[in-house]
């Protein structure tokens, strides 16, 4: 009886399959990008918000699956169009912006996703707690931006458990669902 071992080939993605794909370093443009979230309130409605101050860098590799992203978000920039609620989100009961002024995301790997998309695995740090997160990522394309600089567009979504990051919300937290839906619309310029 003979045995044979087979190994699965490493997943690959071809830059040739991505029109306009341009390896290099890209800076996230906060003016043309959005980091938004929503959470269920009282189990019947979604409350939406966003973060207005953030920065990040995307490095597109020759092999798209070797690309990476790092981003930093300023907690104090949270906006839900209601100042009292925003102040509560910044407070110690929620994101504790005074002690933890930033949340960060660092990718740990890119892999093929459904259809033409990708999955970006990474580590999200909120309130000093780091948890694994996977972004469902879509490359929207490449174009010429202002002053002739190359621009790239990306969309991504994910869901996280706020409690997994120690965001309990105090007495008011019981009115909120645990699942936070995150939506990213990112435009980046070639550095």
């Amino acid at each position: 009886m003979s045995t044979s071992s087979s190994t699965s080939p490493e997943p690959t993605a071809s830059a040739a399959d991505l029109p306009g794909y341009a390896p290099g370093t890209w800076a996230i443009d906060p003016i043309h990008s959005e980091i938004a979230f929503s959470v269920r309130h009282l189990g019947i409605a979604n409350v939406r918000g966003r973060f207005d101050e953030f920065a990040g860098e995307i490095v597109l590799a020759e092999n798209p699956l070797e690309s990476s992203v790092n981003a930093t978000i300023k907690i104090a920039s949270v906006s839900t169009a209601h100042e009292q609620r925003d102040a509560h989100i910044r407070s110690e009961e929620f994101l504790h912006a005074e002690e933890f002024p930033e949340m960060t995301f660092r990718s740990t790997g890119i892999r093929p996703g459904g259809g033409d998309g990708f999955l970006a695995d990474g580590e999200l740090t909120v309130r000093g707690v780091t948890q694994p997160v996977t972004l469902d990522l879509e490359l929207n394309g490449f174009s010429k931006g202002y002053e002739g600089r190359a621009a790239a567009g990306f969309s991504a979504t994910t869901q996280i458990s706020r409690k997994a990051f120690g965001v309990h919300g105090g007495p008011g937290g019981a009115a909120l669902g645990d699942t936070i839906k995150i939506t990213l619309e990112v435009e980046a310029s070639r550095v």
Side-chain angles (χ1 to χ4, degrees), residues 143-151 190:
S143 183
K144 287 285 185 189
Y146 293 113
E147 301 173 357
R149 293 177 68 186
R190 184 84 174 264

Side-chain angles (χ1 to χ4, degrees), residues 82-97:
H82 188 276
E83 185 49 47
Q84 184 178 356
R85 180 170 52 216
D86 295 347
H88 195 197
I89 293 170
R90 293 180 194 112
S91 76
E92 186 175 352
E93 288 186 350
F94 282 92
L95 297 179
H96 203 350

Side-chain angles (χ1 to χ4, degrees), residues 84-147:
Q84 184 178 356
R85 180 170 52 216
D86 295 347
H88 195 197
I89 293 170
R90 293 180 194 112
S91 76
E92 186 175 352
E93 288 186 350
F94 282 92
L95 297 179
H96 203 350
E98 186 175 336
E99 185 170 341
F100 304 100
E102 297 177 340
M103 75 172 81
T104 61
F105 176 80
R106 179 185 70 83
S107 67
T108 57
I110 308 290
R111 54 195 165 99
D116 293 332
F118 297 89
L119 297 173
D121 298 315
E123 296 177 338
L124 179 66
T125 301
V126 180
R127 285 186 62 116
V129 176
T130 301
Q131 294 285 342
V133 170
T134 298
L135 300 175
D136 190 350
L137 177 66
E138 180 182 351
L139 173 59
N140 297 328
F142 297 86
S143 183
K144 287 285 185 189
Y146 293 113
E147 301 173 357

